[in-house]
Amino acid sequence: MKRGFYTIMSAQFFSSLADNALFVAAVELLRTGGAPEWQRAALVPMFALFYVILAPFVGAFADALPKGRVMFISNGIKVVGCLMMLFGSHPLLAYAVVGLGAAAYSPAKYGILTELLPASQLVKANGWIEGLTIGSIILGVLLGGQLVGPVIAPLLLGIDVPGIDTGIDTAPEAAIATLISLYLVAAWFNTRIPLTGVEMRPLRQTPQSSVLASTLALLPDFWRCNRRLWHDRLGQISLATTTLFWGVSGNLRYIVLAWAAAALGYSTTAASALVGVVAIGTAAGAVLASARMRLDSATRVIPLGIAMGVLVILMNFIDTLWLAVPFLIVLGGLGGFLVVPMNALLQHRGHNLMGSGRSIAVQNFNEQACILGLGGLYALSTKLGLSAFGAIAVFGIVVAGTMWVIRRWHGHNCTHHSKEVEHLLHLARHDAHH
């Protein structure tokens, strides 16, 4: 791998580490503040909100500037969200601002891979990025749980700044203040990311057009890109798969917390460890996929999605820790092995069709819309009295059923559009076409 790849990995690790620790701190902030459970469940869709709203713009923004600068600005926005959470804004609103930073960050994070590396290294690079991201999820969730736990929280609250009243009086607030430093470390790494030499694609603007008009002009361009990816015979399959995977995985992060509390009687600190267990399996699956899978064989992993949905349903029958740990590792492993090659295939097709930043923005829009929709459904169901066990069963059925439909869809393409599919697979086998 090129040297700049490792700088990107470092920046991604610290930013993702802070994101996941902040999620646990925000859950505990709402819990200790007496907020109802549906508000805690709403953290997931609130984080996804700006991914969906700003999807037509963040991809073009990522393509208009060097990716490292975009990532630096995005981490700055996340710091603003943390400060809002500390100084009186409602946690849901502040967490949405953190999501705004993440929405701007993602097209640059993934888009720079296609600028820096050839197609033959995309699956391997995605495996390392996803493995590292999932590693940061493990450590981030564990870190967040410990920062609000009974051991570290009193130590943080005992730190006083002479002559200054910080207003930080609770364990979640102390955790959030600590996590700002991680975003600053990530921002420093962003400044070290090298230029890739790829020509920037400036935002369309004429001397006569206003900023608002230029911004609105991005809407039809985004929808054209979205339509092109959904009509591509391989792009549509990979996009459908990753959209479903991240839609469910994004919400499972909170559902596992709720399930651990209901099935095992765990506190937030203890339950956060089980979220890390799922991520351990996902990291192992991602690394294995990066070593074993090729870009042109990515669609062979689709049946794993059906198996993953079945395992989610079976989760309801587990009520002991010694069964839960290996089960959650296997569940995460299937997801990691599924998403890495499909993600790489989607990036490859998107890069060829429209440019890396716009492609990732389209991907984020669909995936985060799925997170937003499923998360909103879960939060509403919780408000109406649905238990964590019921939500898990529904999610499992949705995953297995939808992945079965996607498998049939790809089979139809291979039968009725075989020449087109084979041509696209030929492009995926050769770096010169990337």
Side-chain angles (χ1 to χ4, degrees), residues 387-433:
S387 68
F389 301 113
I392 289 171
V394 171
F395 271 56
I397 292 170
V398 168
V399 173
T402 307
M403 287 304 302
W404 180 81
V405 171
I406 292 172
R407 185 182 183 185
R408 294 291 301 273
W409 187 3
H410 180 59
H412 178 272
N413 286 347
C414 291
T415 301
H416 294 86
H417 306 281
S418 57
K419 291 184 178 179
E420 183 178 354
V421 171
E422 182 53 40
H423 171 67
L424 296 179
L425 290 174
H426 174 76
L427 297 180
R429 294 186 189 106
H430 299 87
D431 287 347
H433 299 297

Side-chain angles (χ1 to χ4, degrees), residues 44 58 220 322 398:
V44 174
V58 292
W322 69 271
V398 168

Side-chain angles (χ1 to χ4, degrees), residues 111 114-115 117-119 122 201 225 228-229 232 234-235 295 344-360 423-434:
T114 55
E115 294 182 359
L117 303 171
L122 277 182
R201 302 186 182 191
C225 292
R228 288 187 72 183
L229 205 47
D232 186 86
L234 286 182
L295 195 63
L345 180 61
L346 181 57
Q347 289 173 21
H348 171 70
R349 294 305 309 140
H351 178 68
N352 284 357
L353 289 170
M354 65 201 66
S356 59
R358 285 169 170 81
S359 167
I360 301 301
H423 171 67
L424 296 179
L425 290 174
H426 174 76
L427 297 180
R429 294 186 189 106
H430 299 87
D431 287 347
H433 299 297
H434 177 66

Side-chain angles (χ1 to χ4, degrees), residues 187-410:
W188 180 82
F189 275 109
N190 295 150
T191 65
R192 315 302 298 175
I193 293 175
L195 298 175
T196 61
V198 173
E199 183 180 358
M200 299 294 99
R201 302 186 182 191
L203 301 176
R204 296 177 182 176
Q205 186 172 0
T206 64
Q208 295 79 25
S209 64
S210 65
V211 174
L212 177 61
S214 299
T215 301
L216 293 178
L218 294 172
L219 286 171
D221 177 64
F222 173 80
W223 290 115
R224 279 194 299 270
C225 292
N226 189 55
R227 188 168 58 250
R228 288 187 72 183
L229 205 47
W230 275 113
H231 282 80
D232 186 86
R233 300 296 175 186
L234 286 182
Q236 61 190 204
I237 301 302
S238 55
L239 182 55
T241 302
T242 58
T243 293
L244 177 68
F245 173 83
W246 289 115
V248 175
S249 295
N251 285 283
L252 274 177
R253 185 172 56 166
Y254 176 76
I255 290 175
V256 168
L257 290 178
W259 169 79
L264 304 174
Y266 277 14
S267 65
T268 300
T269 299
S272 65
L274 286 181
V275 179
V277 167
V278 178
I280 288 173
T282 311
V287 172
L288 182 61
S290 70
R292 298 291 298 273
M293 295 299 298
R294 299 192 315 273
L295 195 63
D296 59 316
S297 60
T299 54
R300 296 179 184 176
V301 301
I302 292 176
L304 296 181
I306 302 174
M308 185 178 172
V310 174
L311 287 183
V312 170
I313 299 172
L314 294 178
M315 187 174 165
N316 277 331
F317 300 96
I318 296 176
D319 57 3
T320 59
L321 183 62
W322 69 271
L323 276 177
V325 170
F327 183 87
L328 292 176
I329 289 176
V330 172
L331 177 61
L334 287 178
F337 200 93
L338 169 73
V339 74
V340 163
M342 297 302 281
N343 217 29
L345 180 61
L346 181 57
Q347 289 173 21
H348 171 70
R349 294 305 309 140
H351 178 68
N352 284 357
L353 289 170
M354 65 201 66
S356 59
R358 285 169 170 81
S359 167
I360 301 301
V362 168
Q363 180 180 352
N364 283 340
F365 169 78
N366 287 278
E367 292 172 0
Q368 298 297 326
C370 190
I371 291 176
L372 184 62
L374 292 177
L377 176 63
Y378 179 76
L380 177 62
S381 300
T382 301
K383 188 174 183 179
L384 297 177
L386 182 70
S387 68
F389 301 113
I392 289 171
V394 171
F395 271 56
I397 292 170
V398 168
V399 173
T402 307
M403 287 304 302
W404 180 81
V405 171
I406 292 172
R407 185 182 183 185
R408 294 291 301 273
W409 187 3
H410 180 59

